[in-house]
Amino acid sequence: MKKQIVLSIALACSIYGIYKFFESPEKFILKKTKKIIKLSSLNKEKNKIALISKITKYIKYDAKFTANYEGQIYQAQSLNQIRSLIMWYLKEGSTVVLNYEKLQAHFLDSKKIQAFFLIIFRKNKKVFSCEVSLDWLKKEKWLIKKVEIKNCRVKKQ
């Protein structure tokens, strides 16, 4: 009986390992991008530092961030600056939930994938839509090298 349980667990682990090994990079990037969007949606989590760590563990230390929103340009040239922007975003607390549409990932080459999507959020009784692109780069693991948010406008309802 114990032998069957051990064999079943070993078989399940092997199947899961094979699935992970053969999972396409695009699917992996789409899954991680969805996770980042979900984490970035403001929630009632008290520990903002832990939340920032969860979000930024997918961002490269020398990442570039640019956002053009409501006539202001926000930029960051390093992971620490991006963390500061995320902290400001979480403290402001004006956006409750982020949704996305048209999420796609495209290979640029074997070590680069770009994810595109529209981010949808509500602020001051208006619904906004912004184009977002994330440039993912693979060294030892996939990390975001560049974030660009642009063309933010009030979404027609």
Side-chain angles (χ1 to χ4, degrees):
M1 183 68 172
K2 288 182 182 182
K3 192 175 188 180
Q4 289 176 334
I5 293 172
V6 170
L7 286 173
S8 297
I9 291 172
L11 180 63
C13 289
S14 297
I15 291 170
Y16 180 75
I18 290 169
Y19 166 75
K20 282 301 203 182
F21 181 76
F22 288 110
E23 181 180 43
S24 74
E26 292 103 329
K27 285 184 180 178
F28 176 81
I29 295 301
L30 292 173
K31 188 168 49 172
K32 293 302 174 189
T33 300
K34 289 175 187 177
K35 184 174 182 175
I36 292 169
I37 293 168
K38 184 178 178 187
L39 287 171
S40 299
S41 291
L42 291 178
N43 55 28
K44 296 180 181 180
E45 186 169 326
K46 301 272 190 236
N47 190 346
K48 303 290 187 213
I49 302 298
L51 182 59
I52 291 170
S53 292
K54 289 177 187 176
I55 293 169
T56 59
K57 80 177 189 179
Y58 301 106
I59 300 175
K60 202 166 176 334
Y61 70 92
D62 61 346
K64 308 265 186 282
F65 175 91
T66 305
N68 188 341
Y69 173 68
E70 290 191 318
Q72 289 194 304
I73 296 176
Y74 302 93
Q75 291 184 323
Q77 303 295 318
S78 69
L79 183 56
N80 283 337
Q81 290 177 352
I82 292 171
R83 284 182 179 134
S84 295
L85 278 176
I86 294 171
M87 180 59 90
W88 171 80
Y89 162 77
L90 293 173
K91 282 185 178 180
E92 186 181 78
S94 60
T95 302
V96 177
V97 176
L98 299 175
N99 292 308
Y100 61 91
E101 292 178 354
K102 302 177 185 175
L103 178 59
Q104 308 171 33
H106 301 286
F107 261 111
L108 300 177
D109 64 39
S110 63
K111 301 271 185 202
K112 295 178 185 174
I113 294 180
Q114 194 168 53
F116 295 99
F117 55 95
L118 293 175
I119 199 78
I120 314 296
F121 60 94
R122 182 178 302 277
K123 182 175 181 183
N124 300 332
K125 298 182 182 180
K126 294 180 186 174
V127 177
F128 286 87
S129 171
C130 299
E131 295 174 14
V132 180
S133 69
L134 303 176
D135 291 355
W136 291 82
L137 180 67
K138 184 171 185 177
K139 294 287 185 184
E140 290 97 35
K141 61 181 184 174
W142 286 101
L143 294 172
I144 297 170
K145 174 70 175 162
K146 182 179 172 187
V147 178
E148 189 173 13
I149 302 170
K150 61 184 179 183
N151 296 332
C152 294
R153 54 186 159 281
V154 175
K155 188 174 179 180
K156 296 177 184 174
Q157 299 194 4

